[in-house]
Amino acid sequence: MSFGGEIMATAVICEFNPFHNGHKYLLESAKKVLKEPIIAIMSGSFTQRGEVAVCDKFVRTKSALENGADLVLELPVVFSLSGAEGFARAGVAIASAFDCTNHLAFGSESGDCELLKRSANAVCDERVQALVRDGMKNGGYYPRELESAVKAVFGDGVSSVLCKPNNILAVEYIKALSGTSVEPFSVARTGVAHDSRIAGEGFASASHIREMLRNGENAKKYAPYVPDEITFSENLDRPLLYRLRTMTREEISKLPDVGEGLENRIADAAMQCSTSAEIADFVKTKRYTHARIRRILSCALLGIEKAHTQIPIEYVRVLGFTKDGAELLKDCRLNVVTSAIAGLKIGGSTKALLEKDISAYNISALAYRVPKKGGLDFTTQIVKI
C-alpha cells in the first residue's frame, strides 16, 4: 500500500524457530489485507524461550523470504533473550525506525485488536498495578497476579485475554507501540495452540516441530522448508556449566532478571547439577518460571549483563531481502549494517550489541551434532531472493 506514491510496510517481530506453515499463514494474511511488503525483525541465534535457535539464522531468513517476508533484520540477542516486555519494546524500536512502517502484524489467540487494546490499557492502569504490587509482596506469581488484578478492575472479558501466551505478547506489542505512528494488526492463530504437542491439518506448533526434528521425524507437512542441520540445546550444557562454575556470585547477580538472592540458588545449582534442565528445576520458584531461568542461563553463557539491556538500538542488522525489501532500507533512520565487520567499525552502542550477536552465533555453532566453524557472521552472505 502506498500514500502519495510512498511505499508503506508491515513489520512482524518473530523468531521463525523454525519457519512453519503458521508463520506463512500470518504473512499471507497480513499481505492479503494490508497489501504491504513485510519487514521481519527476527531473533538470531538464541530465542525468547532461553534456548539456542533450532537452526542457522540465515537458513531461517531464506525460508522466510521465500514465503512472504521482504526484509529480514536481526533482533539483537540481548533483547531476544528478554522477557515479553523487553522483547516487544526492542522489536517495536526497530520497526518504528522505518518511516515506511505502517502496521505491526502479529498472531494472537484473540484476533480482536480492539479487545487487545483494552487489555493493554488495563494492564497499565494504576489501580491494576497497585493490586499487582500487593500480590507480589505476598510472594505472588506475576502473570497470575496481573490477570487477577485486571479481572478485579475490568472484569472477565478483558482479563481472559491475559491467560493465553500469544495474547500476552500481543498486549506487550500494543503497549510498546504507544507514542508511535504504527498501527497494530492481529491475525487469529489457526490450527493448533502455542506449544501444543498435537498437530492439526497442515499446522503444528514450533515447539512440536522442533521436537519432531530432534527426534528424526518428518516435519515436511508442517513447514515449507525443513533444515538439513539442527541444533541440540543439551550440547551447550558443558560450556554453560563451565561458565557458571567459574563465575562469582557477584557476577551472576549482574545477569538480567537476577534479583532477590537468586544468584545464590544459581551458583549452588551449578555445583550440584550436571545439565541445564537440572539447573532450571533446581532454581525454579513460584516467581521464576522455567523460561525466565533459561533466559538467565543463556545470558550467563553469552556474557550478557543487566547493563547490556540498557544499550540503545542505533542500527539494523540485515540478514536478507527481496527486491522490494531492499527498497525499504532507504526509509530506515538507523545505521544499516550489511556487514559484521563494517558494523563493528561503527563503534559505540552498535559495536556493543553486535559483538554479542557475533558471540551468540559462534556459541550456537557448538550446538550441532558436529560443531560448526566459528566466525560465520563474517563469511555468510546476506540472503537475496
Side-chain angles (χ1 to χ4, degrees):
M1 186 181 295
S2 63
F3 295 90
E6 182 183 358
I7 296 175
M8 304 304 288
T10 297
V12 175
I13 303 168
C14 55
E15 304 213 277
F16 296 158
N17 186 38
F19 189 93
H20 58 63
N21 291 346
H23 298 133
K24 185 176 181 180
Y25 175 79
L26 169 63
L27 301 189
E28 288 177 344
S29 298
K31 276 195 166 181
K32 183 178 180 180
V33 175
L34 303 174
K35 297 179 172 37
E36 297 170 348
I38 289 178
I39 302 170
I41 302 157
M42 186 184 79
S43 297
S45 301
F46 284 76
T47 69
Q48 214 249 337
R49 295 176 63 89
E51 297 176 346
V52 65
V54 74
C55 64
D56 187 281
K57 61 188 178 184
F58 289 102
V59 170
R60 285 150 51 224
T61 294
K62 186 172 186 292
S63 185
L65 292 173
E66 289 176 341
N67 291 280
D70 294 283
L71 174 63
V72 180
L73 309 172
E74 183 169 13
L75 180 68
V77 69
V78 166
F79 305 108
S80 73
L81 283 173
S82 293
E85 184 176 11
F87 180 88
R89 195 187 313 116
V92 166
I94 294 173
S96 59
F98 284 78
D99 291 327
C100 59
T101 303
N102 201 31
H103 294 92
L104 178 71
F106 47 81
S108 69
E109 290 86 359
S110 166
D112 184 342
C113 242
E114 290 309 310
L115 178 58
L116 291 168
K117 286 179 181 179
R118 291 204 298 274
S119 297
N121 289 333
V123 166
C124 297
D125 188 277
E126 180 51 39
R127 292 168 294 174
V128 169
Q129 289 300 312
L131 288 173
V132 171
R133 285 193 293 270
D134 288 343
M136 295 299 287
K137 286 177 185 175
N138 296 321
Y141 171 49
Y142 180 78
R144 195 172 298 122
E145 293 297 334
L146 180 61
E147 184 184 346
S148 175
V150 171
K151 182 178 180 179
V153 178
F154 291 94
D156 290 342
V158 176
S159 69
S160 63
V161 169
L162 300 173
C163 66
K164 299 290 186 180
N166 287 102
N167 284 348
I168 293 170
L169 192 52
V171 164
E172 292 299 337
Y173 289 148
I174 291 170
K175 285 169 56 184
L177 287 174
S178 177
T180 75
S181 61
V182 181
E183 287 294 319
F185 177 81
S186 182
V187 175
R189 282 179 64 91
T190 187
V192 295
H194 177 83
D195 271 356
S196 172
R197 294 194 174 188
I198 302 172
E201 186 58 42
F203 293 96
S205 68
S207 57
H208 184 49
I209 294 172
R210 289 193 296 273
E211 185 177 24
M212 292 178 70
L213 293 175
R214 286 165 174 159
N215 288 337
E217 300 172 33
N218 189 341
K220 289 183 179 179
K221 183 179 179 181
Y222 308 112
Y225 174 78
V226 175
D228 295 326
E229 297 178 289
I230 60 170
T231 63
F232 295 84
S233 54
E234 62 268 24
N235 288 346
L236 296 181
D237 282 354
R238 289 195 180 193
L240 172 64
L241 283 168
Y242 169 79
R243 174 70 177 147
L244 290 174
R245 290 181 182 184
T246 55
M247 293 176 75
T248 65
R249 290 171 193 252
E250 182 182 359
E251 287 171 334
I252 295 173
S253 73
K254 293 179 181 178
L255 299 173
D257 268 346
V258 172
E260 302 171 325
L262 190 70
E263 65 272 15
N264 296 315
R265 292 178 65 86
I266 293 173
D268 291 342
M271 294 302 177
Q272 298 182 44
C273 301
S274 57
T275 68
S276 58
E278 288 178 6
I279 293 174
D281 286 339
F282 186 104
V283 176
K284 185 185 182 302
T285 68
K286 187 165 60 172
R287 296 180 66 169
Y288 287 82
T289 64
H290 274 109
R292 185 173 176 181
I293 294 164
R294 286 196 302 266
R295 288 194 293 270
I296 291 170
L297 297 181
S298 288
C299 285
L301 180 63
L302 302 179
I304 295 172
E305 298 182 352
K306 292 183 178 83
H308 289 106
T309 66
Q310 302 305 310
I311 297 174
I313 298 175
E314 298 178 347
Y315 73 102
V316 294
R317 168 77 188 282
V318 180
L319 298 179
F321 52 75
T322 63
K323 184 178 179 181
D324 287 342
E327 289 296 310
L328 300 177
L329 288 169
K330 298 176 183 177
D331 285 329
C332 184
R333 297 188 301 276
L334 302 178
N335 288 316
V336 175
V337 173
T338 56
S339 153
I341 293 175
L344 292 174
K345 289 180 179 177
I346 294 173
S349 297
T350 297
K351 182 176 185 239
L353 291 178
L354 193 55
E355 281 178 336
K356 290 303 177 188
D357 287 328
I358 293 167
S359 176
Y361 201 16
N362 288 336
I363 291 174
S364 72
L366 302 175
Y368 293 87
R369 288 286 192 211
V370 177
K372 290 188 175 185
K373 294 186 294 185
L376 293 176
D377 258 314
F378 300 103
T379 59
T380 306
Q381 296 293 311
I382 289 176
V383 181
K384 299 176 184 178
I385 302 294

